[in-house]
Amino acid sequence: MTTYNRPSYLERAVHSVLNQTYDNIELVVVDDHSETPASETLSEIDLSGLAADQCVRHEENQGANAARNTGIDAASGEYIAFLDDDDRWVPEKIERQVAAFRDGPDELGAVYTGLKTEQGDGFNESIPPEIDIDLTKALLCENVVGSLSVFMVRADLAAKVRLDERFPCWADLEWYINLSRHAEFERIPDPLVIYESDSHNRLTTDIKKKQAGYDLFVEEFSPVAKEYGSLFYRKMRGWAAYRLGASAYYRGFYSRARQYLTLAVVMYPLESSFFILFVASLGGKPVHKTVRYVRS
Protein backbone atom coordinates (compact mmCIF):
# COMPACT_ATOMS: atom_id res chain seq x y z
CA MET A 1 0.00 0.00 0.00
CA THR A 2 1.47 3.31 -1.08
CA THR A 3 0.50 6.50 0.70
CA TYR A 4 1.21 10.20 0.55
CA ASN A 5 -0.39 12.89 2.72
CA ARG A 6 -3.75 11.15 3.22
CA PRO A 7 -3.79 9.78 6.79
CA SER A 8 -7.57 9.50 7.06
CA TYR A 9 -7.79 7.54 3.81
CA LEU A 10 -4.84 5.39 4.86
CA GLU A 11 -6.58 4.39 8.06
CA ARG A 12 -9.72 3.26 6.22
CA ALA A 13 -7.68 1.34 3.66
CA VAL A 14 -5.72 -0.47 6.36
CA HIS A 15 -8.93 -1.49 8.11
CA SER A 16 -10.15 -3.02 4.84
CA VAL A 17 -6.97 -5.16 4.86
CA LEU A 18 -7.56 -6.17 8.48
CA ASN A 19 -11.12 -7.22 7.59
CA GLN A 20 -10.00 -9.73 4.93
CA THR A 21 -11.28 -13.29 5.26
CA TYR A 22 -7.83 -14.55 4.25
CA ASP A 23 -5.55 -14.63 7.29
CA ASN A 24 -1.97 -14.95 6.03
CA ILE A 25 -1.40 -11.34 4.95
CA GLU A 26 1.72 -9.23 5.26
CA LEU A 27 0.96 -5.49 5.08
CA VAL A 28 3.71 -3.34 3.58
CA VAL A 29 2.96 0.39 3.74
CA VAL A 30 5.27 2.59 1.70
CA ASP A 31 5.18 6.21 2.85
CA ASP A 32 6.33 8.42 -0.02
CA HIS A 33 7.57 11.09 2.43
CA SER A 34 4.23 12.31 3.82
CA GLU A 35 4.25 15.43 5.96
CA THR A 36 2.76 13.35 8.78
CA PRO A 37 4.65 10.04 8.74
CA ALA A 38 2.43 7.07 7.97
CA SER A 39 3.98 5.28 10.95
CA GLU A 40 2.13 7.70 13.23
CA THR A 41 -1.20 6.79 11.65
CA LEU A 42 -0.40 3.08 11.83
CA SER A 43 0.58 3.35 15.48
CA GLU A 44 -3.08 4.06 16.29
CA ILE A 45 -4.27 0.84 14.58
CA ASP A 46 -4.12 -2.67 16.02
CA LEU A 47 -2.26 -4.68 13.39
CA SER A 48 -1.91 -7.84 15.48
CA GLY A 49 -4.30 -9.74 13.21
CA LEU A 50 -1.79 -9.65 10.35
CA ALA A 51 0.87 -12.26 9.70
CA ALA A 52 3.41 -9.43 9.43
CA ASP A 53 3.55 -5.70 8.85
CA GLN A 54 6.11 -3.04 8.08
CA CYS A 55 6.18 0.63 7.15
CA VAL A 56 8.89 1.83 4.75
CA ARG A 57 9.40 5.58 4.41
CA HIS A 58 11.09 7.35 1.51
CA GLU A 59 13.50 10.08 2.55
CA GLU A 60 12.11 12.23 -0.26
CA ASN A 61 9.01 12.08 -2.43
CA GLN A 62 9.67 9.77 -5.39
CA GLY A 63 6.22 9.19 -6.87
CA ALA A 64 3.73 6.36 -6.77
CA ASN A 65 5.55 4.00 -9.12
CA ALA A 66 8.82 4.19 -7.21
CA ALA A 67 6.84 3.59 -4.02
CA ARG A 68 5.22 0.50 -5.55
CA ASN A 69 8.59 -0.88 -6.58
CA THR A 70 9.83 -0.24 -3.04
CA GLY A 71 6.88 -2.23 -1.72
CA ILE A 72 7.53 -5.10 -4.13
CA ASP A 73 11.15 -5.26 -2.93
CA ALA A 74 10.11 -5.21 0.73
CA ALA A 75 7.36 -7.83 0.47
CA SER A 76 8.09 -11.45 1.38
CA GLY A 77 4.89 -13.16 0.21
CA GLU A 78 4.30 -15.48 -2.73
CA TYR A 79 1.78 -13.05 -4.22
CA ILE A 80 1.59 -9.26 -4.13
CA ALA A 81 -1.67 -7.31 -4.09
CA PHE A 82 -1.81 -3.53 -4.38
CA LEU A 83 -4.07 -1.06 -2.63
CA ASP A 84 -4.10 2.69 -3.18
CA ASP A 85 -4.59 4.44 0.13
CA ASP A 86 -7.92 5.96 -0.93
CA ASP A 87 -9.39 2.65 -2.10
CA ARG A 88 -10.69 -0.26 -0.03
CA TRP A 89 -10.94 -4.02 -0.46
CA VAL A 90 -14.14 -5.93 0.22
CA PRO A 91 -13.53 -8.70 2.81
CA GLU A 92 -13.24 -11.71 0.48
CA LYS A 93 -10.99 -10.11 -2.17
CA ILE A 94 -7.65 -11.63 -1.21
CA GLU A 95 -9.13 -15.05 -0.41
CA ARG A 96 -10.71 -15.28 -3.85
CA GLN A 97 -7.59 -14.15 -5.69
CA VAL A 98 -5.35 -16.60 -3.84
CA ALA A 99 -7.84 -19.39 -4.60
CA ALA A 100 -7.71 -18.44 -8.30
CA PHE A 101 -3.94 -18.78 -8.24
CA ARG A 102 -4.09 -22.11 -6.41
CA ASP A 103 -6.61 -23.52 -8.89
CA GLY A 104 -5.04 -21.97 -11.99
CA PRO A 105 -2.33 -23.17 -14.37
CA ASP A 106 1.38 -22.73 -13.75
CA GLU A 107 1.42 -20.02 -16.41
CA LEU A 108 -0.98 -17.83 -14.40
CA GLY A 109 0.84 -14.68 -13.36
CA ALA A 110 -1.89 -12.23 -12.34
CA VAL A 111 -5.50 -12.18 -11.12
CA TYR A 112 -7.71 -9.10 -11.23
CA THR A 113 -11.24 -8.22 -10.14
CA GLY A 114 -13.97 -5.70 -10.78
CA LEU A 115 -14.66 -2.68 -8.62
CA LYS A 116 -17.49 -0.51 -7.46
CA THR A 117 -17.28 3.26 -7.44
CA GLU A 118 -18.64 5.08 -4.41
CA GLN A 119 -20.62 8.14 -5.48
CA GLY A 120 -22.53 9.95 -2.80
CA ASP A 121 -24.99 7.52 -1.27
CA GLY A 122 -24.67 4.81 -3.93
CA PHE A 123 -22.31 2.62 -5.93
CA ASN A 124 -21.69 1.97 -9.61
CA GLU A 125 -20.24 -1.43 -10.43
CA SER A 126 -17.57 -1.87 -13.07
CA ILE A 127 -16.76 -5.41 -14.20
CA PRO A 128 -13.74 -5.90 -16.47
CA PRO A 129 -14.73 -7.33 -19.86
CA GLU A 130 -14.08 -10.92 -20.85
CA ILE A 131 -11.19 -10.90 -23.31
CA ASP A 132 -11.34 -13.51 -26.05
CA ILE A 133 -8.34 -12.20 -28.00
CA ASP A 134 -4.65 -11.72 -27.26
CA LEU A 135 -4.63 -9.83 -23.92
CA THR A 136 -1.53 -7.85 -24.86
CA LYS A 137 -3.30 -6.70 -28.00
CA ALA A 138 -6.37 -5.67 -26.02
CA LEU A 139 -4.29 -3.75 -23.45
CA LEU A 140 -2.44 -1.83 -26.14
CA CYS A 141 -5.76 -0.11 -26.87
CA GLU A 142 -7.60 -0.07 -23.55
CA ASN A 143 -6.95 -0.76 -19.88
CA VAL A 144 -9.22 -3.80 -19.66
CA VAL A 145 -7.81 -4.74 -16.24
CA GLY A 146 -8.44 -1.62 -14.14
CA SER A 147 -6.57 0.10 -11.35
CA LEU A 148 -3.76 -1.53 -9.40
CA SER A 149 -6.07 -1.90 -6.40
CA VAL A 150 -7.86 -4.77 -8.19
CA PHE A 151 -4.60 -6.51 -9.12
CA MET A 152 -2.65 -9.41 -7.62
CA VAL A 153 0.57 -10.69 -9.20
CA ARG A 154 3.05 -13.46 -8.49
CA ALA A 155 5.95 -11.97 -6.53
CA ASP A 156 8.59 -13.55 -8.77
CA LEU A 157 6.98 -12.02 -11.85
CA ALA A 158 6.73 -8.57 -10.20
CA ALA A 159 10.43 -8.77 -9.31
CA LYS A 160 11.28 -9.61 -12.91
CA VAL A 161 9.06 -7.04 -14.66
CA ARG A 162 9.32 -3.70 -12.89
CA LEU A 163 6.99 -0.73 -12.91
CA ASP A 164 8.50 1.98 -15.11
CA GLU A 165 9.13 4.90 -12.77
CA ARG A 166 9.32 7.39 -15.63
CA PHE A 167 5.54 7.23 -16.10
CA PRO A 168 3.66 9.87 -14.06
CA CYS A 169 0.42 8.15 -15.13
CA TRP A 170 -0.61 5.18 -17.30
CA ALA A 171 2.08 3.22 -15.42
CA ASP A 172 -0.44 0.54 -14.49
CA LEU A 173 -1.35 0.04 -18.16
CA GLU A 174 2.31 0.03 -19.19
CA TRP A 175 3.03 -2.62 -16.55
CA TYR A 176 0.05 -4.79 -17.47
CA ILE A 177 1.15 -4.88 -21.10
CA ASN A 178 4.67 -5.94 -20.23
CA LEU A 179 3.46 -8.51 -17.68
CA SER A 180 1.00 -9.96 -20.20
CA ARG A 181 3.90 -10.79 -22.49
CA HIS A 182 5.35 -13.07 -19.79
CA ALA A 183 2.33 -14.72 -18.14
CA GLU A 184 -1.41 -15.38 -18.28
CA PHE A 185 -4.02 -13.25 -16.50
CA GLU A 186 -7.29 -14.39 -14.92
CA ARG A 187 -10.36 -12.24 -14.36
CA ILE A 188 -12.73 -12.47 -11.38
CA PRO A 189 -15.93 -10.79 -12.66
CA ASP A 190 -17.07 -9.43 -9.31
CA PRO A 191 -16.57 -5.96 -7.76
CA LEU A 192 -14.12 -6.66 -4.92
CA VAL A 193 -12.63 -3.15 -4.60
CA ILE A 194 -14.29 0.10 -3.56
CA TYR A 195 -13.10 3.17 -5.43
CA GLU A 196 -13.94 6.60 -4.04
CA SER A 197 -14.48 8.85 -7.04
CA ASP A 198 -14.22 12.17 -5.18
CA SER A 199 -11.01 11.49 -3.24
CA HIS A 200 -8.37 14.21 -3.34
CA ASN A 201 -5.06 14.41 -5.19
CA ARG A 202 -5.46 11.45 -7.50
CA LEU A 203 -2.79 11.24 -10.19
CA THR A 204 -5.48 11.09 -12.84
CA THR A 205 -6.48 14.73 -12.24
CA ASP A 206 -3.26 16.24 -13.67
CA ILE A 207 -3.45 16.78 -17.45
CA LYS A 208 0.29 17.50 -17.68
CA LYS A 209 1.02 14.08 -16.25
CA LYS A 210 -1.43 12.57 -18.72
CA GLN A 211 0.47 14.23 -21.56
CA ALA A 212 3.80 12.89 -20.31
CA GLY A 213 2.30 9.42 -19.89
CA TYR A 214 0.91 9.56 -23.42
CA ASP A 215 4.28 10.50 -24.91
CA LEU A 216 6.09 7.69 -23.09
CA PHE A 217 3.38 5.17 -23.95
CA VAL A 218 3.50 5.91 -27.67
CA GLU A 219 7.30 5.79 -27.65
CA GLU A 220 7.47 2.44 -25.84
CA PHE A 221 4.63 0.56 -27.47
CA SER A 222 4.56 1.73 -31.08
CA PRO A 223 7.08 -1.02 -32.04
CA VAL A 224 4.97 -3.63 -30.21
CA ALA A 225 1.76 -2.50 -31.94
CA LYS A 226 3.44 -2.65 -35.34
CA GLU A 227 4.06 -6.36 -34.75
CA TYR A 228 0.28 -6.79 -35.17
CA GLY A 229 0.23 -4.94 -38.49
CA SER A 230 -0.12 -1.38 -39.74
CA LEU A 231 -3.89 -1.16 -39.20
CA PHE A 232 -3.59 -2.23 -35.58
CA TYR A 233 -0.76 0.25 -35.07
CA ARG A 234 -3.10 3.02 -36.20
CA LYS A 235 -5.78 1.65 -33.86
CA MET A 236 -3.37 1.71 -30.89
CA ARG A 237 -2.33 5.27 -31.70
CA GLY A 238 -5.98 6.27 -32.02
CA TRP A 239 -6.88 4.84 -28.61
CA ALA A 240 -3.88 6.50 -26.95
CA ALA A 241 -4.86 9.87 -28.40
CA TYR A 242 -8.49 9.28 -27.41
CA ARG A 243 -7.57 8.61 -23.77
CA LEU A 244 -5.60 11.82 -23.57
CA GLY A 245 -8.26 13.79 -25.46
CA ALA A 246 -11.03 12.44 -23.22
CA SER A 247 -9.05 13.37 -20.09
CA ALA A 248 -8.56 16.89 -21.40
CA TYR A 249 -12.24 17.20 -22.36
CA TYR A 250 -13.64 16.08 -19.01
CA ARG A 251 -11.29 18.47 -17.22
CA GLY A 252 -12.29 21.46 -19.35
CA PHE A 253 -9.19 21.71 -21.58
CA TYR A 254 -11.28 21.85 -24.75
CA SER A 255 -8.62 23.08 -27.15
CA ARG A 256 -6.23 20.29 -26.18
CA ALA A 257 -9.09 17.81 -26.23
CA ARG A 258 -9.92 18.74 -29.84
CA GLN A 259 -6.26 18.37 -30.80
CA TYR A 260 -5.99 14.79 -29.59
CA LEU A 261 -9.51 13.73 -30.48
CA THR A 262 -8.81 14.92 -34.02
CA LEU A 263 -5.70 12.77 -34.02
CA ALA A 264 -7.72 9.80 -32.73
CA VAL A 265 -10.25 10.13 -35.55
CA VAL A 266 -7.54 10.55 -38.19
CA MET A 267 -5.54 7.57 -36.94
CA TYR A 268 -8.50 5.21 -36.61
CA PRO A 269 -11.81 6.51 -38.05
CA LEU A 270 -13.45 3.09 -37.60
CA GLU A 271 -14.05 3.73 -33.88
CA SER A 272 -17.32 5.68 -33.49
CA SER A 273 -16.63 6.78 -29.91
CA PHE A 274 -13.67 8.86 -31.13
CA PHE A 275 -15.88 10.81 -33.51
CA ILE A 276 -18.70 11.30 -30.99
CA LEU A 277 -16.45 12.88 -28.36
CA PHE A 278 -14.65 14.91 -31.02
CA VAL A 279 -17.99 16.44 -32.08
CA ALA A 280 -18.87 17.13 -28.44
CA SER A 281 -15.52 18.87 -27.95
CA LEU A 282 -16.35 21.31 -30.75
CA GLY A 283 -19.13 22.72 -28.57
CA GLY A 284 -16.74 23.45 -25.71
CA LYS A 285 -18.07 24.22 -22.24
CA PRO A 286 -21.78 24.79 -23.12
CA VAL A 287 -22.13 21.35 -24.71
CA HIS A 288 -20.11 19.75 -21.90
CA LYS A 289 -22.42 21.27 -19.28
CA THR A 290 -25.44 20.00 -21.19
CA VAL A 291 -23.99 16.48 -21.36
CA ARG A 292 -23.28 16.48 -17.62
CA TYR A 293 -26.80 17.70 -16.90
CA VAL A 294 -28.37 14.97 -19.04
CA ARG A 295 -26.20 12.31 -17.36
CA SER A 296 -27.15 13.52 -13.89
Side-chain angles (χ1 to χ4, degrees):
M1 184 186 304
T2 57
T3 187
Y4 177 65
N5 281 349
R6 292 189 286 208
S8 61
Y9 286 108
L10 173 62
E11 184 174 356
R12 290 200 309 170
V14 169
H15 279 293
S16 80
V17 176
L18 294 171
N19 290 333
Q20 291 297 297
T21 56
Y22 184 82
D23 293 330
N24 192 20
I25 294 178
E26 173 192 33
L27 174 63
V28 179
V29 175
V30 182
D31 179 2
D32 198 22
H33 201 70
S34 300
E35 293 176 9
T36 299
S39 58
E40 295 185 13
T41 301
L42 296 175
S43 68
E44 302 297 322
I45 304 173
D46 181 6
L47 301 177
S48 61
L50 298 169
D53 65 88
Q54 58 177 305
C55 183
V56 183
R57 178 173 168 85
H58 284 168
E59 292 304 313
E60 59 182 20
N61 184 263
Q62 299 181 38
N65 307 320
R68 287 162 182 152
N69 281 331
T70 295
I72 290 170
D73 292 338
S76 62
E78 184 177 357
Y79 309 110
I80 297 175
F82 299 84
L83 181 58
D84 290 342
D85 61 2
D86 52 354
D87 294 333
R88 286 165 283 157
W89 291 337
V90 302
E92 66 270 22
K93 176 187 182 286
I94 296 301
E95 181 178 12
R96 293 189 60 184
Q97 287 181 301
V98 170
F101 271 113
R102 299 302 193 205
D103 296 338
D106 292 341
E107 297 79 14
L108 184 60
V111 177
Y112 60 100
T113 79
L115 60 78
K116 48 187 175 182
T117 302
E118 187 175 42
Q119 296 178 318
D121 296 330
F123 294 92
N124 287 328
E125 294 187 357
S126 177
I127 305 301
E130 185 174 2
I131 304 301
D132 55 5
I133 61 171
D134 181 336
L135 179 61
T136 301
K137 191 175 183 180
L139 285 165
L140 283 166
C141 292
E142 298 181 79
N143 185 348
V144 295
V145 172
S147 75
L148 275 169
S149 291
V150 307
F151 197 66
M152 180 183 283
V153 62
R154 283 199 333 257
D156 63 324
L157 183 60
K160 178 181 178 181
V161 183
R162 308 284 286 180
L163 282 140
D164 191 331
E165 297 177 13
R166 299 175 303 158
F167 278 73
C169 67
W170 294 13
D172 50 357
L173 180 56
E174 186 270 346
W175 198 40
Y176 298 155
I177 293 171
N178 286 323
L179 288 170
S180 73
R181 305 181 81 188
H182 291 83
E184 294 182 5
F185 285 28
E186 182 173 324
R187 174 188 72 123
I188 296 177
D190 293 307
L192 303 181
V193 173
I194 300 172
Y195 170 97
E196 187 167 339
S197 62
D198 62 349
S199 61
H200 301 292
N201 299 323
R202 282 194 176 271
L203 280 175
T204 52
T205 62
D206 192 329
I207 195 63
K208 291 182 180 179
K209 291 178 179 178
K210 288 282 190 181
Q211 176 72 61
Y214 166 85
D215 292 339
L216 287 166
F217 186 89
V218 170
E219 176 187 348
E220 179 173 352
F221 291 115
S222 285
V224 180
K226 288 177 180 177
E227 294 175 7
Y228 294 97
S230 58
L231 180 61
F232 181 79
Y233 165 70
R234 294 182 65 87
K235 183 177 181 179
M236 182 279 284
R237 288 294 309 273
W239 273 104
Y242 174 77
R243 285 196 301 274
L244 179 57
S247 294
Y249 177 75
Y250 290 118
R251 287 159 180 79
F253 298 96
Y254 302 113
S255 177
R256 184 172 296 187
R258 285 190 290 271
Q259 175 188 349
Y260 284 97
L261 292 171
T262 299
L263 177 59
V265 171
V266 169
M267 292 301 297
Y268 196 71
L270 300 178
E271 180 57 58
S272 61
S273 59
F274 299 172
F275 183 75
I276 292 170
L277 193 58
F278 165 72
V279 172
S281 72
L282 297 177
K285 187 174 182 179
V287 171
H288 190 187
K289 289 177 65 176
T290 300
V291 170
R292 284 189 295 184
Y293 174 77
V294 170
R295 284 183 172 179
S296 66

